[in-house]
Amino acid sequence: MRQSSLVVVANRLPIDDSVAPDGACEWRRSPGGLVSALHPLLRQTPATWVGWAGGTGPAPVLPDVDGVHMQTVPLTADDLRDHYEGFANATLWPLYHDAVEQPEYHRRWWEAYQRVNQRFAEATAEVADPGAVVWVQDYHLQLVPGLLRELRPDLRIGFFLHVPFPPPELFMQLPRRAELLRGMLGADLIGFQRAQAAHNFAQLATKVLGLPATDRRIGVQDRVVRIGAYPVSIDTAEMAALAGRPDVTARARRLRHDLGDPERVILSLDRMDYTKGIEQRLKAYSELLASGDVKVRDTVLVQVAMPSRERVGQYQILRERIEREVGRINGEFGRVGEPAIHYLTQPFDRAELAALYRVADVMAVTPLRDGMNLVAKEYVAARVDDTGALLLSEFAGAAAELDQAYLVNPHDLEGLKQGLLSALRAAPGDSGDRMRAMRDHLHRHDIRAWARSYLSALDDTGSLLTRLSSTG
Ligand code: G6P
């Protein structure tokens, strides 16, 4: 087994499972943009990515990608149902997102979660060099740091949570709360998106485990575990370059024409998820149409909703409700050849996505709760001429940084309607200033800056960081 000095562990591998005819694998943009963040580093050092390749059955053997070894972890059909769809996405996901849907607790799901985390820890232990840096990602794998430390105390272990970490009142519901906290505390450094999450975690470490804790450090036996906020970002320069390409600009013009050359285009782009506030947004839009504040002829809404976790009951119900509502709104307010909402569930390639961002005068990102929301950041990065307005939920992690956006509380229907109207009617000078400030921020705080700041805190011997900075 080949050994690596840097190991990234995530539920999903960062590559497309459709291997090209010549057997080559292409980097796929994994959700959260981890690939672009780590790409420069992974190429410079013997690195392995441990993850699930999708599907069930024996783990496929995948070719290296740009010199990075892909170590697949298999899931059985039971693991898929009870670990991924069950404990990860029907217990933790709703609980961590303010319980906007009811989290379900089943002992069988917890058993599967433990079993799969153990499998990931063992796979990681096999491929890590002595003293290697291991970076474990997200809520699917919260037990891995603790399990891995038992197997390999020599490793430097980091954990990063991409989703929100809830306040004690919610987390305390979890039947196995102590085990989950202990699992995360196996890490040397635990990263969160927001300072509030680190605060919640510190409070719980004291409340549940009786450990001495501040918002920066937690004492665990003879170790100190550091915690902190490291807001994840995007490859700002790459998105800006893509959005500025002549073919993308031409595609945006054509899209606008195909939409009937309206005065204003509003875009929303979400994974089909109950945390994204799609229903609340549709209701606000429908009321603005009914009151005549927004007219179908002048304004179009493009709602892209990418199907997600389709076998989980709450997701199926959500999709039916959204599709019924889109149908109702189009039936009531659309005209022949002029729908009120252009509703799409198909995947887009990056260039098409950039063209959509460029055509959107207003981007409406209004989740009820979101760890970060990289779509909001991508939109800003794509507005290379500093036009456009971002309508952003206060409950998205991105709001802590993009405070020049039109911020709204998506639970407040009147506030949501007013926010949308303000964004639609924004004076070009005002929205230009806001966009410029946000773009500057994202150029300084891009995904490489994120990886660098996290890894420099994790790897205080500095050996990996030296390699990262030498690659820009
Ligand atoms: C969120 C999570 C990621 C996850 C992504 C897509 O962004 O933080 O870990 O990969 O959603 O969800 P999926 O269930 O398709 O992996």
Side-chain angles (χ1 to χ4, degrees):
M1 184 78 61
R2 208 177 71 187
Q3 306 275 296
S4 295
S5 56
L6 173 63
V7 184
V8 172
V9 191
N11 182 52
R12 286 185 187 277
L13 285 171
I15 50 167
D16 205 328
D17 30 23
S18 64
V19 179
D22 62 357
C25 254
E26 288 294 312
W27 283 106
R28 187 186 68 176
R29 207 157 268 282
S30 73
L34 264 183
V35 184
S36 34
L38 299 175
H39 199 191
L41 177 66
L42 295 174
R43 290 174 68 139
Q44 295 290 316
T45 184
T48 293
W49 192 301
V50 178
W52 172 51
T56 55
V61 177
L62 296 177
D64 289 4
V65 181
D66 278 357
V68 178
H69 178 57
M70 296 289 137
Q71 182 68 26
T72 45
V73 177
L75 292 191
T76 65
D78 284 357
D79 297 334
L80 181 72
R81 188 191 62 214
D82 295 341
H83 164 76
Y84 170 73
E85 294 168 349
F87 198 81
N89 285 314
T91 302
L92 293 178
W93 180 268
L95 183 71
Y96 284 14
H97 290 85
D98 290 353
V100 294
E101 284 286 342
Q102 181 63 41
E104 284 182 48
Y105 304 112
H106 298 293
R107 284 162 289 185
R108 203 182 59 231
W109 290 2
W110 168 248
E111 280 157 25
Y113 190 76
Q114 289 176 290
R115 173 171 84 230
V116 171
N117 273 252
Q118 180 71 38
R119 198 174 305 146
F120 270 82
E122 283 167 10
T124 307
E126 276 182 33
V127 296
D129 253 350
V133 169
V134 176
W135 195 2
V136 183
Q137 313 287 327
D138 229 353
Y139 61 101
H140 317 84
L141 302 176
Q142 275 169 237
L143 301 179
V144 169
L147 295 168
L148 188 58
R149 182 168 295 279
E150 276 173 30
L151 295 169
R152 291 286 306 272
D154 60 298
L155 300 175
R156 198 96 190 118
I157 304 171
F159 179 80
F160 186 81
L161 188 70
H162 291 256
V163 300
F165 189 78
E169 307 84 83
L170 279 175
F171 190 82
M172 291 302 282
Q173 286 186 16
L174 261 180
R176 310 313 289 263
R177 58 203 184 194
E179 285 94 325
L180 272 176
L181 294 174
R182 263 190 229 111
M184 289 166 82
L185 285 166
D188 295 293
L189 174 67
I190 306 175
F192 298 95
Q193 302 278 25
R194 298 182 78 156
Q196 180 64 44
H199 177 70
N200 294 345
F201 186 80
Q203 281 191 306
L204 279 157
T206 302
K207 192 177 167 75
V208 177
L209 303 176
L211 298 173
T214 69
D215 290 3
R216 289 168 172 268
R217 282 160 196 277
I218 301 177
V220 185
Q221 292 156 351
D222 54 344
R223 295 188 303 125
V224 172
V225 176
R226 283 168 304 139
I227 62 176
Y230 299 86
V232 73
S233 196
I234 57 163
D235 191 337
T236 313
E238 188 197 49
M239 177 47 82
L242 185 60
R245 245 167 48 183
D247 60 317
V248 170
T249 314
R251 177 72 190 125
R253 263 199 305 275
R254 213 162 47 246
L255 270 170
R256 190 164 202 106
H257 178 70
D258 292 346
L259 289 168
D261 281 320
E263 279 171 32
R264 286 273 177 269
V265 176
I266 308 169
L267 173 66
S268 280
L269 190 121
D270 309 280
R271 215 163 32 73
M272 180 92 72
D273 195 298
Y274 48 80
T275 61
K276 302 292 183 186
I278 304 173
E279 290 183 281
Q280 287 77 356
R281 196 185 306 139
L282 291 178
K283 186 157 173 50
Y285 195 62
S286 142
E287 289 195 9
L288 288 173
L289 290 170
S291 65
D293 285 305
V294 168
K295 296 195 176 55
V296 165
R297 189 156 291 165
D298 308 332
T299 306
V300 301
L301 169 61
V302 179
Q303 171 68 63
V304 182
M306 305 299 302
S308 172
R309 306 172 191 166
E310 291 177 85
R311 301 194 327 167
V312 178
Q314 287 162 332
Y315 287 75
Q316 292 167 352
I317 293 167
L318 177 79
R319 181 168 184 172
E320 279 165 22
R321 287 177 24 180
I322 287 174
E323 299 197 336
R324 196 175 319 128
E325 187 59 7
V326 169
R328 184 193 70 76
I329 296 172
N330 276 337
E332 204 163 316
F333 300 105
R335 294 153 184 260
V336 173
E338 281 181 352
I341 301 173
H342 293 254
Y343 172 73
L344 301 159
T345 55
Q346 306 138 40
F348 290 94
D349 67 27
R350 297 289 297 164
E352 186 77 1
L353 195 66
L356 271 171
Y357 288 141
R358 293 231 41 197
V359 94
D361 304 295
V362 173
M363 178 89 209
V365 183
T366 58
L368 304 178
R369 177 61 75 188
D370 215 332
M372 177 49 63
N373 200 297
L374 297 173
V375 165
K377 290 191 170 180
E378 284 190 344
Y379 174 69
V380 170
R383 303 304 299 189
V384 283
D385 55 2
D386 288 327
T387 59
L390 174 65
L391 181 75
L392 181 62
S393 164
E394 293 166 10
F395 297 95
E401 294 171 86
L402 304 180
D403 55 0
Q404 302 278 335
Y406 293 82
L407 293 176
V408 286
N409 169 5
H411 300 276
D412 168 12
L413 195 58
E414 285 308 317
L416 188 52
K417 286 161 65 180
Q418 283 314 315
L420 190 53
L421 286 179
S422 305
L424 280 169
R425 294 171 182 168
D430 179 40
S431 51
D433 290 346
R434 290 168 179 249
M435 197 54 81
R436 204 167 304 115
M438 293 191 289
R439 284 210 313 126
D440 283 352
H441 174 88
L442 290 183
H443 277 286
R444 276 177 284 119
H445 297 93
D446 68 354
I447 188 97
R448 285 181 193 85
W450 172 74
R452 195 175 296 139
S453 72
Y454 183 89
L455 287 172
S456 63
L458 172 62
D459 172 38
D460 38 20
T461 59
S463 59
L464 267 175
L465 188 71
T466 316
R467 270 176 270 188
L468 180 61
S469 35
S470 70
T471 62

